[in-house]
């Protein structure tokens, strides 16, 4: 706990994710060690992220959001398998980067948690990962029309949005379309590369960002941009996309991102 | 009641659907026999299904969902004619497979109940049937563009989605567009064949599944997929549909369907 | 009051629309005579119609619905100028067919009330009129694509949907796009002819039906059909519209319209 | 206060925007003088405008609306940087036309406030300005399809809707897409010219009107019109736009605008 910078109250996520102790020798032999307790305010933001994404229509009953453990970069935190709008602090589970739960008593794990673990392995810069079936983004995953930024708030897409084809991963489990293991997760993370967003063909997308607030913003404005781009395409004619220079400039001088997070969190948590 | 596996409370659907008893000899001569009382939890799921479909925008004031009687495969249960969002356990009526109500006092029956009866006759594997005017599915019923899966969650559509043309049924009542009798119901069931979903031209669709939870999921994701496919088509160019191999693989290894049902039911019943 | 068939309570719409009496000689000289008090249940349905149309997105702050006076075919009843969602029984005003209010104290009248008066004059079969800017119907009024039924519930459109061009009315007030007088109202009613729906170019549409329940249903399913037809057109290729034979057959044998009205009214009035 | 025509209560916006007084000499040297207290009813309408635009989907967490100071045309009033749905009277800040806050203690200012200040400088006829990322308007900003009125309620667009290209402003800060200074604001105001609406490429639009009620109406019906025009274009074929003569005629004889404002304000403020 001394590693935590914040002085706000800690919630005992150890209640569901206890650090290995002598009383539980069997689990101690196989389960990885916890990264330690996490500040309640950080967990609250992760819970809020789940509900925000549901409230904004980015996720429905499925989709998930994780954060890297603030004290141990080899651990991440994510809800057990549960519709995002229902997630509470008590549902947050800790995983190592192979996506093995620290405490096997934490409930049923998300089947596709390997998306998260493998992105954290490949991207030390990433502090939060979101996977969703964002409804207007999926159509871009099944056509040859690249998703590109038409709205300045989605300028982060200027670096390009790769489309991951699970058929190319060469894993037999890939026929089920789900990222069921580390091999498939690694393949997706490789396609994502250093980008903030990658599409998953016929499935959804993955968003990676330095922190959960930014990841949520990216996920929401990727959906908003997809809607606007689809309308622009239906209007016909050439489209004047956000340029590389503009995208880079906006990335260097971010605007007032806190305003959106404050609103979304207030709506999601009612406070 | 001894046939019921569950130990949860029974609700007396016999209140509205009494088993034939000596006190009602006139009805006993013409009405079919009841399949017996049904576990309250099963009725609750049927009620939830009605409300879920309304909440998700699959049905409006019309549309209906039925389940096969758990104790007697020659009976099915469905609400009397009522907007789905208003359905309660007291509105559930029992029918034989000719769609004759067991208790004629059960209220006005759904005009198109023959959809249900005839699908149950033709498909022993089916435990639940939904008929809706799912708004984005209807356009696919009046064009020559096949509804095909673009989203993994709708991969069950990979087997093909037949379009039923009521004009081809050769029944004079067909000009009214409604499935008003067993002949029309049989024609629709034949077009459905062994598929989970068939479109009804200029009208809506029918969904058949082993149980009500799956039928609801199929109905919802058929609508979601239709929206995504329509957008993909408007983007232009070839579309990368879920393949037969993928559809088959997902059918063999279903993902976490319970998560959606739990959320939907909670939202629909407020518990 | 003896002319009223119903035995339900009367609401004193005479409070806002008093019958001419000796105490108000000045008004008596110019205002037309009232058609008499109206059953509260009828007013309630008119109020419900206003709120239903708002709840279903057919009207926003504008749009209006009227009924012909049940006791006097030369009078009609409509809210004073007010957003439909806010209308109560106290806002209902009585007009003669020249759209002159019976009681000039009834508040500001709807500017375009002449739509209603002139349709009632021209169409003895009509008992209710709706004017709206139904959002997906307007686009059909400014293109050359005819609005035609793709959904059985909108089969009443099979007779054709005329588009009224206010420029053709030859009235100088027409440049303001609004039906500001009887001449423009007459022109619109002539274009409507014997049809249930006519579009008003760049403006909206008018719906005429035997009663308010049917008019509301027509207005809502005209919007629903417009959405479905727009999507069908975007899918591409020929469209299989509801045929004349089907439209006529459905008109002769109406389906379960009461189910929708019961739901809509319950949602609109909360009872 | 003697300059105020209304006798309604004043709210002490001086609490957050105090007039320069002797006790604060340091601020007095640099901050511009206040235009004086403002009638509470006027502030209430500005607060309502913020919430209305959020409720109608014109703004999300971003976007802002201002009014010119009623007593001093060289001052304007706008919320501090805050999601519009959250704005209260206490958040309103006063600026001079260089967009310098009168009281630097008023909270973080909106980054793009220069849009407002420069439009007020260039347009003495303007009493209210709105900037939004109105979702269906943005697509028109990135294509070559002009936004034109298809609905009479948006006839004010008949004069043309210029599209501002920030790249053409020749300001290095323009690469960030935001109106971060007076130079960019001036460039935008010049493109707006004497029009009510200008689009900002890849960003949103600016609306200018004589008063806040009109500005809100313009902003909402610009979005509504964009939706209708996009659908009309997708239907195919020539579009019958509101003509110049009609636009001019409607501008001269406005319809019942108060009805919409009353409804919107009631919904936004719950009274």
């Amino acid at each position: 706990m001394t590693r935590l910078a914040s002085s706000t109250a800690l919630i005992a996520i150890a209640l569901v994710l206890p650090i290995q102790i002598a009383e539980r020798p069997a689990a101690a032999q196989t389960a990885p060690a916890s990264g330690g307790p996490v500040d309640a305010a950080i967990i609250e933001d992760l819970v809020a992220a789940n509900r925000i994404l549901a409230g904004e229509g980015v996720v429905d009953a499925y989709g998930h959001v994780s954060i890297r453990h603030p004290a141990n970069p080899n651990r991440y935190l994510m809800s057990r398998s549960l519709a995002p709008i229902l997630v509470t602090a008590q549902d947050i589970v800790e995983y190592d980067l192979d996506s093995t739960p620290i405490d096997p008593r934490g409930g049923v794990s998300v089947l596709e948690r390997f998306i998260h673990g493998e992105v954290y392995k490949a991207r030390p810069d990433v502090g939060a990962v979101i996977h969703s079936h964002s409804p207007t983004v999926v159509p871009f995953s099944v056509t040859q029309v690249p998703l590109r930024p038409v709205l300045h708030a989605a300028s982060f897409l200027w670096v390009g949005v790769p489309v991951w084809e699970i058929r190319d991963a060469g894993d037999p489990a890939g026929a089920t379309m789900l990222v069921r293991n580390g091999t498939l997760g690694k393949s997706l993370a490789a396609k994502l590369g250093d980008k903030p967003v990658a599409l998953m063909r016929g499935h959804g997308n993955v968003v990676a960002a330095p922190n959960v607030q930014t990841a949520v913003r990216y996920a929401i404005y990727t959906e908003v941009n997809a809607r606007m781009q689809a309308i622009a395409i239906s209007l016909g004619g050439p489209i004047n996309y956000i340029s590389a220079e503009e995208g880079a400039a906006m990335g260097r001088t971010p605007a007032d991102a806190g305003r959106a997070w404050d609103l979304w969190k207030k709506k999601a948590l009612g406070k």
Side-chain angles (χ1 to χ4, degrees), chain A:
Chain A
M1 284 172 67
T2 53
R3 281 171 295 178
L4 294 168
S6 166
S7 64
T8 54
L10 290 174
I11 62 157
I13 68 161
L15 285 176
V16 290
L17 304 175
I19 301 171
Q20 293 176 302
I21 48 172
E23 292 81 65
R24 296 175 50 250
Q29 288 172 341
T30 56
S34 168
V38 178
D39 192 284
I42 288 173
I43 298 294
E44 183 182 84
D45 274 359
L46 177 56
V47 168
N50 276 276
R51 299 190 191 177
I52 289 168
L53 293 168
E56 299 291 317
V58 170
V59 299
D60 56 1
Y62 298 96
H64 17 89
V65 48
S66 68
I67 56 171
R68 198 188 288 267
H69 193 292
N72 183 342
N74 293 315
R75 298 289 180 271
Y76 71 92
L77 303 163
M78 184 163 69
S79 169
R80 66 182 177 93
S81 182
L82 190 66
I85 195 72
L86 303 178
V87 168
T88 67
Q90 279 66 47
D91 300 307
I92 304 300
V93 179
E94 183 180 353
Y95 295 93
D96 71 6
L97 299 194
D98 288 331
S99 297
T100 304
I102 300 306
D103 183 345
R105 299 175 310 179
V108 175
S109 286
V110 167
L111 195 59
E112 298 193 286
R113 61 194 180 276
F114 307 97
I115 296 171
H116 301 258
E118 296 303 326
V119 170
Y120 289 120
K121 277 186 198 169
R123 291 276 298 273
D125 62 308
V126 165
V129 174
I130 294 170
H131 168 59
S132 80
H133 310 156
S134 197
T136 320
V137 176
V138 168
F140 285 89
S141 82
V142 297
T143 60
Q144 293 168 15
V145 178
L147 184 65
R148 294 183 58 187
V150 291
L151 178 69
H152 68 339
S155 63
F156 53 86
L157 298 175
W158 79 274
V159 292
V161 182
V163 181
W164 182 59
E165 172 53 88
I166 196 168
R167 293 170 195 160
D168 298 340
D171 187 280
T176 66
M177 301 288 294
L178 301 180
V179 183
R180 290 175 180 270
N181 59 43
T183 304
L184 287 164
K186 246 185 256 299
S187 169
L188 171 56
K191 176 60 83 170
L192 175 65
D194 60 356
K195 307 291 193 296
V197 182
L199 307 193
M200 302 159 73
R201 192 268 309 162
H203 182 163
N205 68 85
V206 60
V207 172
N211 52 62
V212 75
Q213 293 86 351
T214 303
V216 166
R217 179 163 58 89
Y218 282 5
I220 290 172
Y221 281 111
T222 297
E223 171 67 20
V224 168
N225 189 84
R227 289 180 209 149
M228 290 177 174
Q229 188 181 352
I231 295 171
I233 287 171
S234 80
L235 295 179
I239 293 177
N240 197 350
Y241 291 103
I242 303 293
S243 72
E245 187 193 353
E246 289 164 345
M250 290 204 83
R252 284 189 302 267
T253 55
D256 185 11
R259 204 203 303 186
W261 177 259
D262 291 347
L263 173 65
W264 291 331
K265 188 170 170 183
K266 191 181 181 75
K267 283 166 63 179
L269 300 185
K271 65 179 180 182

